[in-house]
Amino acid sequence: MPKQLRVAAYAVCVRDGQMLLARWVAGDGTRRWTLPGGGMDHGEDPYDTVVREVDEETGYTVEPVALLGIDSQLRTHPRRMGGATDFHGLRIVYEARITGGDLRHETGGSTDMAAWYPLGEVPSLERVGLVDTGLELWRERPAPGRTARPPERAGSGRDQGPLPRKMNTE
């Protein structure tokens, strides 16, 4: 089975009791809220990735102020031409503060909307598991940089979150 590793960086931005989220659009058109962020380009530093991705998805300039942790997930997903891919997602989660820009929606990307939500409303949103992971890392700030929950695995029952935009079959 082909293997794929995707490394991505995401931001937890909380201001005045509200959390900044981006709405991810799945390949089947399903929309769920996620943390702003996304995949690293080859040779790109994760710090620069989160700054670039938050700007692309929300219009805001951010400054990462703390590395909250790293989330790892393993799953199998179908390939376009049949078969499956053994996918490993490594998600670097930063706390970030807004330093400039204006809220806007991304066009032509993997998200279609950005918005602030009161922290108390986040649990009622249609969201990917990464939102809960980010909130837990932000609230608890565990020394090892990971939540108490075991790493996500296929069939865990948790929402697995965004799949990669393109497949790497190497």
Side-chain angles (χ1 to χ4, degrees):
M1 177 181 320
K3 296 178 181 179
Q4 179 185 12
L5 172 66
R6 180 177 188 260
V7 181
Y10 295 89
V12 174
C13 299
V14 176
R15 179 173 73 182
D16 300 324
Q18 296 189 327
M19 183 177 202
L20 179 63
L21 297 172
R23 193 169 67 178
W24 171 63
V25 181
D28 66 1
T30 304
R31 290 167 166 75
R32 284 174 270 174
W33 293 99
T34 189
L35 298 179
M40 282 177 42
D41 292 335
H42 181 79
E44 186 176 35
D45 186 275
Y47 183 101
D48 297 328
T49 300
V50 76
V51 170
R52 173 181 55 77
E53 286 283 344
V54 172
D55 177 59
E56 288 175 7
E57 293 182 355
T58 71
Y60 286 123
T61 303
V62 296
E63 175 188 14
V65 295
L67 176 61
L68 296 176
I70 298 176
D71 184 58
S72 183
Q73 61 174 315
L74 295 172
R75 69 176 183 244
T76 301
H77 61 82
R79 297 174 67 195
R80 289 183 195 147
M81 303 302 272
T85 297
D86 181 5
F87 175 80
H88 182 192
L90 190 64
R91 304 181 295 188
I92 303 165
V93 183
Y94 290 94
E95 177 181 14
R97 70 179 179 88
I98 307 297
T99 59
D102 294 303
L103 183 65
R104 61 147 175 78
H105 307 311
E106 181 178 32
T107 55
S110 61
T111 65
D112 69 347
M113 184 181 225
W116 290 94
Y117 281 96
L119 288 169
E121 290 181 19
V122 171
S124 66
L125 298 173
E126 289 291 325
R127 65 197 184 285
V128 300
L130 180 60
V131 173
D132 297 332
T133 299
L135 270 174
E136 185 175 342
L137 289 169
W138 178 76
R139 287 182 173 131
E140 303 297 325
R141 301 190 182 260
R146 65 185 285 188
T147 65
R149 287 178 272 163
E152 291 181 28
R153 305 229 183 263
S156 68
R158 290 186 56 208
D159 183 18
Q160 301 297 314
L163 286 172
R165 289 185 200 149
K166 58 184 176 184
M167 299 298 296
N168 177 1
T169 57
E170 296 180 348

